């Protein structure tokens, strides 16, 4: 059994992925609060985590619960549309387009958004995604597939119209 | 750059979400260490400092400084051992080590002769602990032989055990095992290397 690493290595290894998941589920504004609460909780419970456990899946589970708490405590829709300004697309340009993708993910219904975040960003199998969302693995798989389909539609429509506008 | 809309892979679609900004991760890390310290869940804080005898790893619990490690010990390996022996709740958190870093700076600059830091002796027990507790009584610029230290700790025949206690000192420099030398006046071995021991004794002789 591999001995438990210093928590610093857990933060370095999984911190960026967990932030992506939080951003996809909650949007930029609340993502950093969710990330902070996730890692603070994880640090506290870390000595009790069984050796050899899947650390990333464990962190995503905590992030999922923290995200729900944040949404509930602020008593509002997970991603308010009015906070998302429409900006020119940077899709396809490395390091750019963050806002557009986030806007698009934010337009998905919560279940689809979570399924996309947990399966495609965090890499959890649909069986575990279903464990987080409730329902069957098949339902989770459908939510993920529907989310991806919707995401493609939103992103291509908006960026195409933008490209058209910018072409002299 | 051309945008391909035909059928981009999903990873390409989600790629812009990558939090590449190191500044964001650093800010989140600082927020985490501050909150953890406040909630007393940061069991071991660490940082490194540069010194004339190489980069030193410093680690501290809430009780005091726990470990000073030379580069040759491999800092990653030292932290891994602390995780297994004491607690894996370890974060890079320089603040807790600020007083130790400052005192070490002063020591290496020649302006400090004694360390005034709370020490956590959790890593040592028994006879080794008695030896470590004796070390600060050897004055700056002076040396004692292994036999003298054995005598001072009440076990005159435990000369070899004194050598082992010095060789496994978890707090070198701060607990001055470099002031313990062989009876014939030669340096004897040192975890940080004979050169480091020579440099420390030369600094104190200046």
């Amino acid at each position: 059994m591999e001995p438990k690493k210093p928590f610093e290595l857990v933060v370095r290894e999984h911190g960026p992925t967990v932030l992506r998941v939080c951003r996809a589920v909650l949007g930029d504004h609340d993502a950093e609060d969710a990330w902070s609460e996730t890692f603070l909780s994880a640090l506290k419970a870390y000595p009790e985590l069984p050796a050899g456990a899947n650390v990333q899946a464990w962190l995503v589970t905590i992030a999922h619960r923290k995200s729900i708490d944040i949404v509930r405590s602020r008593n509002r829709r997970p991603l308010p549309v009015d906070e998302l300004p429409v900006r020119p697309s940077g899709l396809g340009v490395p390091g750019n387009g963050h806002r557009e993708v986030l806007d698009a993910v934010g337009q998905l219904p919560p279940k689809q958004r979570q399924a996309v975040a947990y399966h495609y960003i965090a890499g959890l199998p649909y069986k575990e995604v279903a464990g987080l969302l409730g329902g069957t693995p098949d339902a989770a798989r459908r939510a993920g597939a529907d989310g991806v389909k919707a995401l493609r539609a939103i992103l291509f429509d908006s960026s195409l119209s933008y490209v058209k506008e910018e072409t002299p | 750059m051309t945008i391909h809309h035909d059928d981009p892979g999903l990873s390409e679609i989600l790629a812009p979400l990558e939090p590449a900004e190191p500044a964001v991760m650093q800010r989140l890390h600082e927020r985490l260490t501050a909150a953890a310290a406040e909630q007393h869940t940061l069991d071991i804080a660490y940082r490194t400092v540069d010194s004339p005898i190489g980069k030193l790893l410093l680690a501290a619990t809430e009780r005091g400084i726990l470990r000073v490690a030379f580069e040759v010990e491999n800092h990653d390996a030292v932290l891994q051992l602390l995780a297994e022996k004491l607690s894996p709740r370890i974060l890079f958190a320089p603040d807790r080590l600020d007083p130790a870093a400052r005192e070490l700076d002063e020591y290496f600059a020649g302006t400090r002769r004694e360390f005034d830091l709370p020490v956590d002796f959790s890593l040592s027990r028994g006879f080794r602990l008695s030896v470590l507790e004796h070390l600060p009584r050897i004055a700056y610029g002076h040396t004692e032989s292994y036999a003298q230290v054995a005598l001072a700790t009440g076990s005159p025949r435990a000369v070899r055990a004194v050598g082992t206690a010095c060789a496994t000192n978890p707090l070198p420099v701060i607990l001055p095992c470099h002031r313990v030398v062989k009876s014939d006046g030669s340096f004897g071995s040192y975890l940080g290397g004979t050169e480091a021991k020579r440099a420390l004794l030369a600094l104190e002789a200046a």
Side-chain angles (χ1 to χ4, degrees):
Chain A
M1 195 78 76
E2 201 176 309
K4 207 167 278 181
K5 296 175 190 169
F7 195 73
E8 177 68 26
L9 296 182
V10 173
V11 178
R12 276 194 241 158
E13 199 173 315
H14 302 288
T17 303
V18 173
L19 184 58
R20 292 179 79 199
V21 168
C22 293
R23 281 173 168 174
V25 172
L26 290 169
D28 257 346
H29 183 254
D30 288 330
E32 294 192 13
D33 285 348
W35 188 97
S36 297
E37 289 181 26
T38 298
F39 276 91
L40 196 55
S41 276
L43 173 66
K44 195 175 174 191
Y46 188 51
E48 280 75 51
L49 180 73
N54 180 339
V55 176
Q56 182 149 306
W58 175 65
L59 290 169
V60 171
T61 304
I62 301 173
H64 172 69
R65 287 197 219 112
K66 294 295 173 188
S67 300
I68 291 174
D69 289 350
I70 284 176
V71 170
R72 276 190 194 143
S73 72
R74 306 213 169 147
N75 191 23
R76 60 179 203 209
R77 293 185 47 216
L79 203 72
V81 171
D82 60 4
E83 276 185 23
L84 302 170
V86 177
R87 292 192 202 156
S89 173
L91 198 66
V93 181
N96 232 333
H98 170 87
R99 172 53 51 193
E100 288 65 34
V101 175
L102 212 51
D103 285 359
V105 175
Q107 289 176 42
L108 304 178
K111 278 257 160 86
Q112 289 183 16
R113 187 189 316 149
Q114 289 164 327
V116 168
Y118 302 151
H119 181 72
Y120 289 102
I121 298 176
L124 294 195
Y126 275 123
K127 190 166 168 250
E128 287 180 38
V129 177
L132 293 179
L133 301 185
T136 64
D138 272 349
R141 186 187 307 277
R142 269 197 304 281
D146 290 349
V148 167
K149 211 168 132 190
L151 214 47
R152 286 207 165 106
I154 296 164
L155 284 167
F156 305 151
D157 288 355
S158 59
S159 51
L160 273 179
S161 64
Y162 168 69
V163 169
K164 209 169 163 186
E165 277 166 31
E166 283 294 282
T167 309
Chain B
M1 189 173 172
T2 319
I3 301 166
H4 299 287
H5 291 296
D6 308 295
D7 188 23
L10 190 71
S11 56
E12 196 181 317
I13 293 180
L14 295 172
L17 286 185
E18 189 68 58
E21 324 91 288
V24 173
M25 293 317 298
Q26 195 185 330
R27 187 176 68 228
L28 286 170
H29 191 287
E30 282 167 11
R31 187 173 159 184
L32 172 65
T33 54
E38 201 170 294
Q39 295 189 3
H40 307 287
T41 53
L42 175 49
D43 292 339
I44 300 173
Y46 76 90
R47 65 172 287 175
T48 58
V49 291
D50 290 323
S51 86
I53 53 170
K55 190 171 280 195
L56 300 174
L57 173 77
L58 312 179
T61 63
E62 287 187 333
R63 292 163 64 190
I65 186 141
L66 174 75
R67 189 75 167 87
V68 173
F70 297 105
E71 232 168 343
V72 293
E73 294 179 77
N74 184 340
H75 293 170
D76 289 343
V78 170
L79 290 170
Q80 181 61 50
L81 235 111
L82 291 178
E84 291 165 33
K85 272 192 175 170
L86 277 189
S87 166
R89 300 202 295 198
I90 299 176
L91 285 173
F92 172 78
D95 291 8
R96 190 183 285 175
L97 281 316
D98 278 352
R102 194 176 51 245
E103 292 200 10
L104 282 165
D105 269 352
E106 292 165 357
Y107 171 79
F108 286 116
T111 59
R112 172 173 288 277
R113 293 171 156 248
E114 277 177 20
F115 290 98
D116 181 22
L117 297 166
V119 173
D120 184 336
F121 282 103
S122 300
L123 296 171
S124 309
R125 46 182 53 88
F127 180 69
R128 291 185 189 179
L129 179 57
S130 322
V131 171
L132 297 181
E133 284 171 336
H134 171 73
L135 294 176
R137 294 189 206 126
I138 311 174
Y140 184 93
H142 292 71
T143 57
E144 282 184 9
S145 68
Y146 292 99
Q148 281 174 304
V149 175
L151 195 63
T153 47
S155 308
R157 304 169 81 177
V159 180
R160 283 182 69 90
V162 168
T164 309
C166 288
T168 56
N169 177 9
L171 289 156
V173 184
I174 289 176
L175 301 177
C177 59
H178 58 274
R179 291 177 199 154
V180 184
V181 296
K182 286 188 164 180
S183 302
D184 64 7
S186 67
F187 287 129
S189 62
Y190 191 58
L191 190 53
T194 313
E195 267 318 300
K197 190 168 187 173
R198 193 194 309 272
L200 291 174
L201 291 173
L203 166 78
E204 296 188 5

